[in-house]
Amino acid sequence: MSECNGNCSSCGQKGNCDSELKKLEQNKNSKIKKVIGIVSGKGGVGKSLTTASMACAFRAKGFNTAIIDGDITGASIPNIFGLESGIASDGESMIPAVTKTGIKAISINLLLETPDSPVVWRGSMLSNVLKQFWTDVHWGEIDYMFIDMPPGTGDIPLTAFQSLPIDGIVIVTSPQDLVSMIVKKAYNMAKLMNIPILGIVENMSYIECGDCGKKIYPFGEGKADKVAEELGVPLLAKIPINPAIAKACDNGSIEDIVNPDYQQAVDMIIKILK
């Protein structure tokens, strides 16, 4: 069988392929306007932090905002927001947890007996959970939904791209020399699936000296500018290493941190998606 290129309409296996998925309907009690996937070509680049920070920045602008924690085996959104209680039900649908600023969120960690219980499931089960987070949750009216994807280009990103009405993705990377490969993996997958690329966020870009304000580049000066220009997509933000933000994530108090570095990114995304 030839490699899937994500375009079911022109495929010779059309109508006879397990990968040919229809866009899923929203829950009857949901009205989700825009869906943004946060992706990366590899792990450890701060994808979940970017998801949380983006959601906080959009919420601070007054938008109804929500997060699907799609990284089923490495869920961290509840920890970042300090969410500990389980998911409620209205008898028909799951009711998402709500953060203290009003961001709605769902994660497998809110359904497990304990948050450190391992999720030892095959890819098809993981993908089904993602789909249930879309169809079986009473989201209400949401302006911007963020999906925190697992790293790489495996089952869950493929399911999301084929099954959910994603309006665009944000690619998260870091400043190391691997940046070109990392970004291009995510970029090329999105292109195959006909998903718009909203832009790139370079995380852990630099450290700002607290005394003189000088920028220090512990991983070398990033190459995201060059890659963004090469691919013809915006560089949304360069995010510094900030110990206060790391501490807030550990304490579940990310919403207490005002992160101006995401403000330009938010404005650019709103403009692109209009």
Side-chain angles (χ1 to χ4, degrees):
M1 182 181 292
S2 61
E3 183 179 354
C4 176
N5 66 5
N7 187 354
C8 295
S9 62
S10 63
C11 180
Q13 297 294 320
K14 180 174 173 59
N16 189 32
C17 174
D18 291 338
S19 296
E20 188 176 356
L21 303 174
K22 295 180 180 179
K23 298 295 183 184
L24 296 171
E25 295 289 334
Q26 295 182 20
N27 181 277
K28 67 179 182 180
N29 295 309
S30 301
K31 185 180 179 182
I32 302 167
K33 298 176 183 177
K34 299 292 184 182
V35 182
I36 299 171
I38 310 295
V39 307
S40 65
K42 67 181 290 295
V45 297
K47 178 178 48 55
S48 296
L49 172 59
T50 299
T51 301
S53 298
M54 284 280 189
C56 289
F58 273 83
R59 182 61 184 156
K61 279 186 166 288
F63 294 108
N64 293 326
T65 308
I67 299 174
I68 289 178
D69 192 349
D71 193 354
I72 310 299
T73 61
S76 58
I77 291 298
N79 297 58
I80 294 174
F81 285 95
L83 298 172
E84 297 179 355
S85 59
I87 298 297
S89 171
D90 63 6
E92 292 184 341
S93 306
M94 291 182 280
I95 306 297
V98 182
T99 72
K100 60 186 177 183
T101 64
I103 298 170
K104 295 180 179 180
I106 194 162
S107 170
I108 194 68
N109 272 16
L110 296 173
L111 296 167
L112 298 174
E113 197 170 307
T114 61
D116 57 0
S117 298
V119 179
V120 189
W121 296 342
R122 296 191 183 277
S124 59
M125 291 183 66
L126 300 175
S127 297
N128 285 337
V129 170
L130 176 66
K131 289 189 279 189
Q132 285 184 291
F133 283 169
W134 178 260
T135 60
D136 296 359
V137 176
H138 181 151
W139 288 108
E141 185 163 332
I142 299 296
D143 297 311
Y144 291 92
M145 164 76 76
F146 294 89
I147 303 178
D148 183 15
M149 303 279 197
T153 54
D155 285 332
I156 292 181
L158 179 61
T159 296
F161 288 170
Q162 290 186 316
S163 302
L164 305 185
I166 295 179
D167 294 282
I169 64 164
V170 172
I171 302 173
V172 184
T173 187
S174 55
Q176 290 94 329
D177 288 337
L178 289 172
V179 62
S180 179
M181 181 187 71
I182 293 168
V183 170
K184 286 179 180 178
K185 279 181 181 290
Y187 175 90
N188 289 332
M189 181 178 187
K191 282 293 185 182
L192 284 173
M193 301 289 115
N194 297 314
I195 304 293
I197 295 91
L198 303 176
I200 298 170
V201 169
E202 183 181 85
N203 201 23
M204 300 179 284
S205 184
Y206 59 89
I207 300 172
E208 188 170 310
C209 176
D211 293 326
C212 66
K214 181 181 178 180
K215 292 181 179 179
I216 303 165
Y217 299 90
F219 304 111
E221 292 200 40
K223 300 172 177 62
D225 310 70
K226 182 178 179 181
V227 175
E229 183 179 358
E230 179 186 343
L231 298 178
V233 299
L235 178 62
L236 297 172
K238 287 189 170 185
I239 308 299
I241 298 171
N242 187 335
I245 293 176
K247 184 177 180 180
C249 288
D250 290 340
N251 295 337
S253 56
I254 188 65
E255 291 163 295
D256 295 342
I257 299 288
V258 177
N259 193 340
D261 297 294
Y262 282 95
Q263 192 56 59
Q264 179 183 349
V266 168
D267 292 339
M268 291 173 71
I269 290 172
I270 291 172
K271 185 177 180 179
I272 292 169
L273 291 178
K274 274 186 177 179

